[in-house]
Amino acid sequence: MSDFSGFAEITAFDELRHAMAENYEQPEGPARNARAEHLLVQAEKLNVPLAVIEALGHQLKVYNYSSEKDKMFVPFARLLRMWDERPEEFDEYETHSLHWVFKWMSAGMLNQPHVPLASIEKWLGEMEHRYRLAGHSERAVRSAEFSVAAHIGDLERAERAYGAWLAADRDSMADCHACELHGQGSWQARRGEDAEALELWAPVLEGRYTCAHEPHAVLAASLLPLVRLDRPDEARAHHLRGFRLVRTMESMRGAYADHVEFCALTGNEARGLELLAERPAYFTDEGDPRSKLDFTAVVALLMDRLSERGLGDQPVPGPAGRTWTARELAAHARGEALALAARFDERNGTPYVGARARERMDQRPLVDRLPLGVRATRQVSLAAPRPPAPVEPAAPDTPLDLPALLAEARRLADGVHPDAVEAWAAVARAAEAEGAVLDAYDRAEIADHEAMGLGPGGLDLFARAAELYEEAGDPGEALAAHARRASVHAYTGQTDAALALVREPYEKIRALFAEGATGVRQTASVLVSRARILMQRLDEAQGDDAGEAVAAAEEAVRELLALAEPHTAEVRLASRAAEALGMLGELAARGGDAEAAAGLLARSAEAYVAAGLPWFAVEQEARLAGAARHLGDLETAERAAWAALKHGAPYLEPMGHAQLHLQYAEVLSETGRFEPAAEHALEAAHWADEAGEGPTLGAWARHQLGGCLLRQGRWAEAAEILESALLDLTAETHGDGAIVQTQWWLGDCLAELGEHRGAAERWLQAAEIARHWPEQRDHAMLAHLAAEALGHAGLPAEAEQAYARAGDLWRELGNVHGLVRALRARAWVVGRDGEGLDRARDLMAEAVAECEAVLAAGAFGALEDSEEGEGAEEARQQMVAELGQSYRQFGDLVARSAPEDAEAAEVRPVFEEALGHMTRAIDTYGSLGEAALDPRTGAELAAGWLEADLHRPAEASARARGVLAAYEGREGEVAEARRAEAERMVEL
């Protein structure tokens, strides 16, 4: 980037043009505008009228594409005066440009409320008159008239002008197709015709029509119509794509506001706040009042949404100079928006702008949640979806009486339903409200279930439940409550204490059961608690103790299974048997027997589902998915992961949703189904954020989501997601491999988007991490990719340095293909300016020598980059092809080094040298026979053109005819292209 801090003197017109072109490439904003003002001063010193005209045009253009649009009028007025006085001083381009910016003046006046409406109408007439004199169509005039009528709310005139705009012929003064379609679609959306708007916008959204500010604005305008049409996936994609485009463009405050509005109306208020924080100047920039009105209106909308969610006192980004809460900023922004709207309405003589501003600020959300996948600080938790407990209400709005609540609670408890805890709590509340006295067993159930719900906080309640079970005459259930109390200790890390506490209940229940004094259900409850404690201890046992711990756990689990399995007709015992199978599966997995583990986990899940307890199958299905992936059985893994998600969805907390969606996404990715994988990775990211785990599991989900989007070619969306993931990925939590892969993917995206410098930066950052790894192939690949990107970014010195680094790494790895390609690419970079041609020749010669050395040695099996199991002959053929390509590029490099204006005598030896390399390429490819037909004929034609340049038409013709003969009767794109080129050569 050029440094404009010290403005140099300009002494020639060409210097001025170069400086203006360079300035236009700078980011929009005051700095670029200031440079344009300086360049006008420099132009005036040249005493060249056209220089001043061009400098004024440049100044006008940068003002228009900035927040200082109100400055456009002065340079335009001067240009118009110069045209009226001395039109002969304008060349063809500047004449066209002058008439072109009439449209900008029309829009600029409309956007400034201090410009009277009468002046705008007069200007429309002036524009129409001048366009007619210049022989232009009235299409642009009618478009401008439509904008005026639509702005003031004269809808009848707007419809007439709209029709006349579309009916008039397109000519050189008409806006580009993309901008016209944007305006036409926006009018349809304003009229409530969302589907028609999107149909009009389709050519822009699909990339058929583009310009400097499109599809940026159309992507923003399409957001709410897509949501209203229930097309959320497209809306999300347009937000991610579109926001990347407008993020750095100061002049697009209106489109930026559309993105904030979309966030406010789709449950993404946190994302909306982040957008506001990125552009603090938008709160105060005064150069374009109309876009400021748009921005302040959606700020008010967003702040009202936060206030409605109970976050009115939350600090939010706002105008500089003070701190703001959401409630304060809502009032401020609404006041600003209405004050601006009032100025427009006063100018226009209609209430239309104010009415539309109020309508925009008072919108209601379109959806509760539309996950975007990007990182956002959680503002409000959304509860995971839960179905109502399966109970039939007595009547609408009539609460259940105590006997009905008791019956329902017992039914849910007997069915081991997740809602049993809440059902018993409802019994307790009803009993207290009615002053009812429950029997000891009911009170025991209440205390027992309350303790289950409290976890570590329920230890005393388990003891109280045991007392009440004793009082009710059920000593077995009392022992089960004591055992549950013991198991809670294990889950808090106190396994030794837990084992001590469970010993007595275990011994007593076995004695009672042997005597027939308690049932299978109570006994199984004690046995399962003991088995859980012993399983929990496995994570703590080490060394010799580990084997003993595994044996004890397996013995306890098998004892439980033997007791419960014959009685699976009873739901609770079926649950115990299924749990035991799952524990055995876990033990098999710990012992390294993944196949046995998968079988046991599958049996456990099936048993839970057969018993009508799908919510308990979730954990086993998730584990089965992991075991199946380990075995390479992706079909079973996918089936199990989907079952876990389906069975768990109604009952899981946000973290559970995140984990299961992520697991399913990973399995789908492994099967190559990236579109559904992306959908589930998106859900995983959303639920991780809801669980407060955005920086941990959420970052990993975003990493996965970005990779899935990239593999679908959705580069802009993937880039936005991957950049978001990188904010939270850490080597400590996610591993440095995840960071390298994310940077690598992001570089791929940026390269596809044409952001080559950014791609190089990402690949170099990844390479810096990978250089510390024992295996250096990734390091070499990343250095090579970075070199390519630096070359595309116009940074040859940096590119050569990166290619040299990559070459050294390929050499160390013994990867001759990588080394040779780095040498050739480096040669092209070095030789691009002509001065480094000798060094470029040396590099190409080195590439040739590396290939020849390998071929001479014949050690193809030792090549680092040979595929496993690849035959030596195939490796030899690949190296021969690499040699042929090196000769071919050597010839191209030399041929292109000849100056275009050089004399024939000077050029002949260069072309002869190039032809020599090309001939060697042909011979090398020829040795490979049919397999190298396409590259051989390509080199043959290149040689033919060199023969023609050397005035040897017979030789050129012979080469061309040889190519035609080679492709006779062949079909395909390459064959057609080769024949067409050969025929041209013969004709010439």
Side-chain angles (χ1 to χ4, degrees):
M1 184 180 294
S2 299
D3 181 7
F4 295 150
S5 57
F7 294 155
E9 289 294 314
I10 289 175
T11 58
F13 197 178
D14 284 345
E15 283 182 49
L16 176 71
R17 283 176 164 164
H18 176 76
M20 289 190 295
E22 189 179 48
N23 189 45
Y24 193 66
E25 294 302 316
Q26 301 307 307
E28 295 177 349
R32 187 171 74 159
N33 294 353
R35 174 66 166 163
E37 291 162 5
H38 167 76
L39 291 174
L40 175 59
V41 173
Q42 296 294 300
E44 289 169 337
K45 296 178 181 177
L46 296 178
N47 199 29
V48 177
L50 185 59
V52 175
I53 291 167
E54 290 188 12
L56 284 166
H58 173 66
Q59 189 182 89
L60 201 157
K61 185 182 291 187
V62 299
Y63 284 155
N64 184 59
Y65 294 120
S66 78
S67 62
E68 299 179 312
K69 293 179 186 289
D70 54 335
K71 291 185 175 182
M72 288 192 301
F73 303 109
V74 172
F76 180 75
R78 184 175 172 188
L79 274 171
L80 192 59
R81 186 170 62 252
M82 292 173 72
W83 168 261
D84 288 339
E85 293 173 357
R86 292 180 299 279
E88 69 279 0
E89 292 180 349
F90 288 69
D91 62 13
E92 183 179 353
Y93 178 80
E94 292 303 327
T95 299
H96 178 274
S97 296
L98 176 69
H99 286 82
W100 181 268
V101 296
F102 268 80
K103 299 178 294 182
W104 293 358
M105 293 305 107
S106 175
M109 291 178 180
L110 201 60
N111 294 349
Q112 303 290 336
H114 69 273
V115 178
L117 188 61
S119 298
I120 296 172
E121 295 285 5
K122 182 180 178 182
W123 177 253
L124 275 176
E126 178 75 9
M127 180 179 173
E128 182 173 11
H129 172 68
R130 288 180 179 267
Y131 272 39
R132 189 180 300 116
L133 286 177
H136 296 305
S137 163
E138 66 172 13
R139 189 177 181 94
V141 178
R142 297 286 77 83
S143 173
E145 181 189 4
F146 161 76
S147 297
V148 173
H151 170 68
I152 66 177
D154 187 344
L155 303 186
E156 185 177 337
R157 181 187 178 194
E159 287 286 7
R160 287 198 309 272
Y162 183 83
W165 168 22
L166 269 60
D169 292 336
R170 278 189 58 83
D171 68 350
S172 62
M173 281 300 114
D175 281 340
C176 75
H177 282 289
C179 289
E180 283 206 331
L181 290 172
H182 174 210
Q184 293 161 17
S186 297
W187 177 241
Q188 297 305 325
R190 189 193 297 194
R191 296 171 66 247
E193 302 291 342
D194 289 333
E196 189 170 339
L198 286 160
E199 189 175 340
L200 282 164
W201 288 329
V204 184
L205 296 171
E206 293 164 4
R208 280 182 274 160
Y209 299 130
T210 60
C211 69
H213 283 180
E214 295 295 354
H216 316 38
V218 165
L219 284 165
S222 70
L223 296 173
L224 298 189
L226 284 167
V227 179
R228 289 194 290 261
L229 291 171
D230 194 25
R231 292 159 63 177
D233 293 341
E234 291 172 77
R236 177 190 307 111
H238 287 197
H239 171 65
L240 296 176
R241 282 177 58 202
F243 184 67
R244 283 189 69 79
L245 294 173
V246 303
R247 172 182 268 145
T248 59
M249 300 186 73
E250 186 194 54
S251 63
M252 299 202 73
R253 179 163 56 181
Y256 202 99
D258 290 342
H259 285 279
V260 176
E261 179 181 35
F262 166 75
C263 292
L265 298 177
T266 57
N268 288 292
E269 295 90 348
R271 168 76 167 172
L273 290 179
E274 292 181 0
L275 267 57
L276 296 187
E278 285 196 34
R279 275 290 183 180
Y282 277 169
F283 287 101
T284 52
D285 285 343
E286 301 289 349
D288 185 28
R290 193 170 176 184
S291 71
K292 186 178 182 184
L293 168 56
D294 291 335
F295 185 74
T296 52
V298 300
V299 169
L301 170 67
L302 176 61
M303 296 305 121
D304 284 344
R305 289 293 306 129
L306 288 170
S307 297
E308 286 181 30
R309 285 185 176 271
L311 298 166
D313 294 325
Q314 175 178 307
V316 294
R322 56 161 289 185
T323 57
W324 297 88
T325 65
R327 188 174 293 105
E328 291 167 341
L329 186 56
H332 171 80
R334 182 173 287 268
E336 286 251 301
L338 292 176
L340 279 166
R343 289 174 59 197
F344 280 109
D345 285 343
E346 182 179 3
R347 187 270 303 276
N348 300 338
T350 70
Y352 189 69
V353 174
R356 283 184 56 77
R358 289 183 179 86
E359 181 183 321
R360 191 171 197 181
M361 290 187 285
D362 295 340
Q363 291 177 98
R364 302 306 303 156
L366 296 173
V367 292
D368 287 335
R369 61 183 281 268
L370 197 167
L372 301 177
V374 288
R375 172 183 185 262
T377 304
R378 182 176 55 132
Q379 302 298 326
V380 177
S381 288
L382 296 175
R386 289 287 304 268
V391 58
E392 294 294 330
D397 303 321
T398 303
L400 296 174
D401 59 18
L402 184 56
L405 287 170
L406 269 168
E408 177 61 13
R410 186 149 287 117
R411 184 182 75 79
L412 292 173
D414 289 343
V416 205
H417 196 281
D419 287 332
V421 170
E422 176 52 35
W424 280 107
V427 170
R429 291 192 297 269
E432 184 178 359
E434 296 179 19
V437 179
L438 300 173
D439 64 31
Y441 203 93
D442 290 338
R443 286 180 283 131
E445 291 258 52
I446 289 171
D448 206 0
H449 282 84
E450 184 180 355
M452 293 178 199
L454 290 173
L459 292 173
D460 292 341
L461 278 169
F462 277 125
R464 175 61 180 155
E467 292 173 3
L468 289 167
Y469 283 128
E470 288 279 6
E471 183 182 332
D474 191 339
E477 203 60 62
L479 291 171
H482 281 303
R484 284 190 281 275
R485 181 171 183 267
S487 67
V488 170
H489 280 79
Y491 290 118
T492 59
Q494 303 173 64
T495 52
D496 289 340
L499 280 172
L501 286 170
V502 84
R503 187 173 298 116
E504 184 178 349
Y506 170 65
E507 291 170 354
K508 285 185 175 181
I509 200 77
R510 291 183 66 189
L512 284 175
F513 184 66
E515 296 167 2
T518 192
V520 176
R521 179 166 62 85
Q522 291 87 345
T523 305
S525 292
V526 174
L527 294 185
V528 78
S529 291
R530 180 170 178 268
R532 288 170 181 169
I533 293 167
L534 288 165
M535 291 294 293
Q536 193 70 23
R537 191 175 64 150
L538 296 178
D539 291 328
E540 302 171 11
Q542 296 179 349
D544 294 338
D545 292 340
E548 180 187 338
V550 168
E554 183 171 353
E555 181 184 359
V557 172
R558 292 196 179 280
E559 182 182 10
L560 169 64
L561 183 62
L563 175 71
E565 201 166 30
H567 305 282
T568 52
E570 183 183 337
V571 173
R572 290 201 192 196
L573 291 170
S575 172
R576 301 308 186 208
E579 185 172 356
L581 288 168
M583 290 177 179
L584 288 174
E586 184 181 346
L587 287 167
R590 285 175 177 271
D593 191 344
E595 194 167 342
L600 287 161
L601 291 167
R603 286 177 59 195
S604 173
E606 290 164 6
Y608 275 128
V609 173
L613 306 171
W615 46 86
F616 288 133
V618 172
E619 182 177 357
Q620 311 309 329
E621 285 158 338
R623 287 178 173 172
L624 172 58
R629 285 174 71 186
H630 180 74
L631 291 167
D633 183 0
L634 294 181
E635 184 179 345
T636 297
E638 182 182 340
R639 188 167 58 248
W642 171 244
L645 191 57
K646 179 179 66 175
H647 291 145
Y651 310 104
L652 293 169
E653 295 298 321
M655 190 59 175
H657 279 280
Q659 290 168 331
L660 292 183
H661 277 291
L662 182 56
Q663 182 184 51
Y664 192 44
E666 290 173 340
V667 174
L668 289 170
S669 289
E670 288 181 45
T671 64
R673 296 166 61 196
F674 298 115
E675 187 171 347
E679 294 172 9
H680 288 282
L682 174 70
E683 286 292 321
H686 166 76
W687 286 114
D689 289 342
E690 286 298 315
E693 293 293 334
T696 52
L697 190 68
W700 181 253
R702 279 181 261 283
H703 163 85
Q704 293 289 338
L705 173 57
C708 291
L709 292 171
L710 173 141
R711 291 181 177 97
Q712 296 174 66
R714 295 159 66 176
W715 314 113
E717 296 167 65
E720 193 74 8
I721 298 295
L722 293 168
E723 286 174 349
S724 183
L726 280 170
L727 296 172
D728 291 317
L729 287 172
T730 65
E732 294 75 19
T733 301
H734 306 95
D736 56 8
I739 298 173
V740 168
Q741 182 64 80
T742 305
Q743 295 275 26
W744 196 325
W745 281 339
L746 181 53
D748 291 342
C749 293
L750 296 177
E752 291 288 345
L753 294 169
E755 300 176 32
H756 297 293
R757 188 166 190 163
E761 289 173 0
R762 294 300 182 177
W763 284 327
L764 288 171
Q765 288 168 9
E768 184 59 25
I769 298 172
R771 77 184 182 90
H772 299 290
W773 293 354
E775 210 292 313
Q776 288 288 285
R777 185 180 178 86
D778 284 343
H779 183 196
M781 281 291 297
L782 287 161
H784 202 125
L785 287 169
E788 290 179 1
L790 289 165
H792 288 307
L795 299 167
E798 293 85 346
E800 188 200 350
Q801 185 178 0
Y803 275 127
R805 175 182 176 185
D808 290 343
L809 290 166
W810 291 131
R811 193 187 300 277
E812 290 172 14
L813 286 165
N815 189 320
V816 181
H817 292 285
L819 169 60
V820 168
R821 289 165 191 171
L823 287 167
R824 292 196 306 247
R826 189 177 168 198
W828 282 107
V829 171
V830 168
R832 86 166 46 177
D833 60 2
E835 293 182 7
L837 185 59
D838 288 341
R839 198 152 61 91
R841 276 192 172 91
D842 291 342
L843 289 165
M844 280 292 186
E846 187 179 349
V848 168
E850 291 289 346
C851 295
E852 291 176 335
V854 172
L855 288 166
F860 305 111
L863 292 179
E864 190 275 347
D865 53 334
S866 294
E867 295 287 339
E868 185 177 347
E870 178 186 87
E873 176 56 24
E874 187 175 351
R876 186 194 71 80
Q877 290 179 6
Q878 289 180 356
M879 187 52 61
V880 170
E882 200 74 75
L883 176 60
Q885 180 66 4
S886 298
Y887 280 134
R888 166 68 198 267
Q889 289 198 30
F890 205 160
D892 285 336
L893 177 78
V894 172
R896 294 181 191 182
S897 69
E900 291 184 10
D901 56 352
E903 297 293 331
E906 183 182 351
V907 168
R908 176 171 289 278
V910 175
F911 283 174
E912 290 285 9
E913 180 191 353
L915 183 59
H917 294 303
M918 210 64 74
T919 302
R920 283 188 282 276
I922 295 165
D923 293 341
T924 304
Y925 284 134
S927 71
L928 296 174
E930 188 74 10
L933 174 64
D934 292 343
R936 180 184 67 76
T937 53
E940 194 82 65
L941 289 170
W945 292 117
L946 288 167
E947 301 272 25
D949 288 335
L950 290 165
H951 304 293
R952 297 202 284 257
E955 289 84 345
S957 181
R959 291 185 185 276
R961 293 185 191 283
V963 171
L964 287 170
Y967 284 102
E968 186 175 355
R970 294 180 183 269
E971 296 182 357
E973 200 172 311
V974 174
E976 291 174 10
R978 292 284 192 269
R979 278 196 292 267
E981 187 176 352
E983 286 166 358
R984 285 199 309 274
M985 190 176 293
V986 171
E987 290 171 8
L988 288 171

